[in-house]
Amino acid sequence: MTMTRTMPDITHHLSDRLLMAYAAGTLPEAFSLTVATHISLCDECRARLGAYESLGGAVLDHAAPVAMAEDSLAATMARIRAGAPDVPPAPRRAPGVLPAPLCDYVGGDLADVRWRPVGMGVKQAILPTSRDATARLLYIPAGAAVPDHGHRGTELTLVLQGAFVDETARFGRGDIEIANEDMHHMPVADIGEDCICLAATDAPLRFRGLIPRIAQPFLRI
Amino acid sequence: MFTEVHHCLADMAATPSPPAGRRAMRCATKRNRAVSGVASEKQTRVQQDAWVAAMIAVRDARDEAEFARLFGHFAPRVKAFLMRSGADATLAEECAQETMAALWHKAHLFDPSRASVATWIFTIARNRRIDALRRQRRPEPEDLPWGPEPEPDQADVLALQQDSAKLAEALAKLPEKQRVLIEKAYFGDLSQTEIAEQTGLPLGTIKSRIRLALDRLRHAMK
């Protein structure tokens, strides 16, 4: 087994709010992608998701029923006999750095990411999701500052390779940072290895271009 | 953005159970309801076991009569769920039929040690809703390397189904206001306020049970 296939030691988990909203199916696609990617690496949050889905089941079971159309069962049996629709199977365990849900959006693993330089050695790749939120992969050279992309709204940052540190903590593979507008900090990629993150934000799309305001060039720590 | 449910549920999935003192207090205040509570929890439990048996008959024997029973109970609830989520009656009817057809086609994926039948149907209906109403993709976590177990341990199945029955009963017994807020969160009603108080729903036990099962399976895979 390679390092990337074992479950990483995760200390920064999804919030209950995010998990419940993902269980309910009310998150923007970019956020769902981030949650699904974290859960692919984290059994703890997978189990917590199971609990919130159980609550969804209880809510469904408790709902006051609405009568189905008269021929409904027959119509459904006809659908069944017409054959199974092409449902893509749940993504299988990915062997590389990117967990399966991300591979799906990238169309492969790290080697297939179409990076665009944004300055100071930092690269990004915006992933195709619905427009209510944006998901991007960020590549930050070891020791470099993470570009300040402005915490408007909520921003999730999930580490996939390497690590970053800020004033409060260290975030390694699988760790997720949940930042809101009042958060001002300057995370820096760990010196050991180039850092790759998945960042999702519900900030308006005009931020899509990510104008990097990299104040500090390379902070060596 | 996602709902502003600040809930109380907050710690619930994270902490296994409420402190003994609080639990004792709650028991005391509900003592007068205890007898009927136990009876109805048992009923819920019996009903859940019946749904599991029906699902397994659909899965293993492609049993149409059992499918019809599941349909009779769940299809109108899926339709209600979709209409509460903003679908009109026609779309909700169609999506409910699709959900039930998917139940038939995906029956081999149902794992009673991981979810009740209601929970499993909820996840299918939820995904139909995202697809049909929001027209978005739903990224799913990657599959566990072992896939669904062909024959899960019976004790695991019983325990999970029992916990699910307890959760269903606890939800039914919540004060109306709290219950409505939780329902709104799941129906995707975004005009959310907060669930300020502790609801005491037993989510932690289900989480711990699933977590243990995952640990055991990961260990077995090594």
Side-chain angles (χ1 to χ4, degrees):
Chain A
M1 268 202 176
T2 63
M3 275 297 287
T4 50
R5 289 183 65 105
T6 54
M7 298 300 277
D9 272 335
I10 293 170
T11 50
H12 301 276
H13 293 276
L14 295 166
S15 65
D16 288 281
R17 247 158 49 135
L18 278 170
L19 271 172
M20 191 186 188
Y22 180 71
T26 54
L27 286 178
E29 186 180 345
F31 281 51
S32 288
L33 174 61
T34 311
V35 170
T37 304
H38 175 85
I39 289 172
S40 299
L41 297 167
C42 180
D43 279 353
E44 176 68 14
C45 289
R46 194 186 282 271
R48 289 166 67 209
L49 173 66
Y52 280 114
E53 288 183 336
S54 298
L55 185 52
V59 166
L60 174 76
D61 211 17
H62 196 272
V66 173
M68 295 289 287
E70 217 161 289
D71 63 343
S72 195
L73 178 58
T76 304
M77 291 313 297
R79 279 177 197 269
I80 286 170
R81 294 199 178 96
D86 282 336
V87 185
R92 304 301 302 191
R93 171 131 285 210
V97 171
L98 304 182
L102 259 185
C103 291
D104 201 25
Y105 278 76
V106 165
D109 200 30
L110 268 189
D112 305 291
V113 177
R114 289 189 200 157
W115 295 110
R116 283 169 196 277
V118 292
M120 300 300 189
V122 175
K123 296 182 282 185
Q124 71 160 347
I126 293 181
L127 303 175
T129 61
S130 61
R131 300 169 68 87
D132 45 2
T134 312
R136 59 167 67 90
L137 284 166
L138 283 171
Y139 183 104
I140 305 126
V146 178
D148 175 7
H149 30 273
H151 290 149
R152 305 272 187 121
T154 300
E155 183 173 74
L156 312 176
T157 309
L158 172 65
V159 178
L160 300 161
Q161 177 190 294
F164 70 81
V165 286
D166 66 13
E167 297 84 346
T168 56
R170 181 180 193 278
F171 296 80
R173 175 166 164 87
D175 281 325
I176 188 161
E177 184 192 55
I178 302 167
N180 55 33
E181 353 202 334
D182 353 304
M183 186 152 188
H184 295 287
H185 68 159
M186 178 57 72
V188 174
D190 206 43
I191 193 75
E193 191 180 5
D194 293 344
C195 180
I196 294 167
C197 298
L198 171 63
T201 174
D202 59 357
L205 264 187
R206 56 198 166 90
F207 289 95
R208 199 185 169 117
L210 179 70
I211 301 149
R213 288 175 282 133
I214 308 176
Q216 285 90 331
F218 291 82
L219 282 177
R220 298 286 175 188
I221 49 175
Chain B
M1 240 311 296
F2 58 93
T3 54
E4 291 300 316
V5 189
H6 251 294
H7 37 100
C8 60
L9 297 173
D11 306 314
M12 238 177 278
T15 46
S17 58
R22 208 189 314 162
R23 182 189 282 165
M25 220 167 69
R26 197 164 51 235
C27 287
T29 56
K30 288 187 176 169
R31 191 167 293 145
N32 52 351
R33 282 198 270 167
V35 176
S36 64
V38 167
S40 99
E41 192 171 300
K42 200 174 170 193
Q43 279 168 9
T44 309
R45 173 74 197 289
V46 167
Q47 188 56 67
Q48 287 205 344
D49 291 347
W51 295 139
V52 170
M55 262 316 296
I56 287 170
V58 169
R59 182 186 74 185
D60 297 346
R62 309 266 80 181
D63 189 320
E64 292 191 15
E66 289 300 311
F67 178 78
R69 286 185 55 227
L70 288 163
F71 189 95
H73 180 77
F74 286 107
R77 284 168 173 80
V78 170
K79 187 172 179 179
F81 167 68
L82 292 160
M83 288 180 72
R84 287 281 299 273
S85 302
D88 63 32
T90 313
L91 182 60
E93 168 79 27
E94 194 188 322
C95 287
Q97 289 187 20
E98 284 169 1
T99 298
M100 297 311 289
L103 173 140
W104 176 280
H105 289 305
K106 293 179 167 184
H108 62 286
L109 295 173
F110 173 65
D111 179 350
S113 71
R114 298 269 300 278
S116 71
V117 175
T119 297
W120 195 60
I121 293 176
F122 164 74
T123 60
I124 299 174
R126 169 199 67 196
N127 292 358
R128 280 303 305 139
R129 185 188 70 191
I130 295 169
D131 196 35
L133 263 68
R134 301 181 62 199
R135 301 189 182 282
Q136 292 191 2
R137 291 174 66 191
R138 158 96 180 173
E140 295 282 351
E142 67 187 25
D143 230 353
L144 296 166
W146 52 82
E149 285 185 285
E151 287 306 326
D153 192 283
Q154 271 310 301
D156 287 351
V157 172
L158 287 176
L160 192 277
Q161 297 300 325
Q162 190 167 4
D163 288 346
S164 300
K166 278 186 185 148
L167 177 61
E169 280 307 307
L171 178 71
K173 282 185 205 151
L174 278 185
E176 174 85 5
K177 234 177 164 180
Q178 286 185 350
R179 190 169 45 72
V180 167
L181 278 174
I182 290 174
E183 286 172 357
K184 279 185 171 175
Y186 280 89
F187 292 139
D189 185 333
L190 294 177
S191 59
Q192 269 304 323
T193 47
E194 301 179 356
I195 303 175
E197 301 144 87
Q198 176 72 261
T199 57
L201 289 177
L203 285 175
T205 50
I206 295 185
K207 179 238 134 185
S208 304
R209 208 169 288 293
I210 297 174
R211 182 68 219 263
L212 277 174
L214 291 175
D215 285 348
R216 203 160 51 225
L217 288 164
R218 291 246 185 242
H219 191 72
M221 286 295 291
K222 277 183 183 163

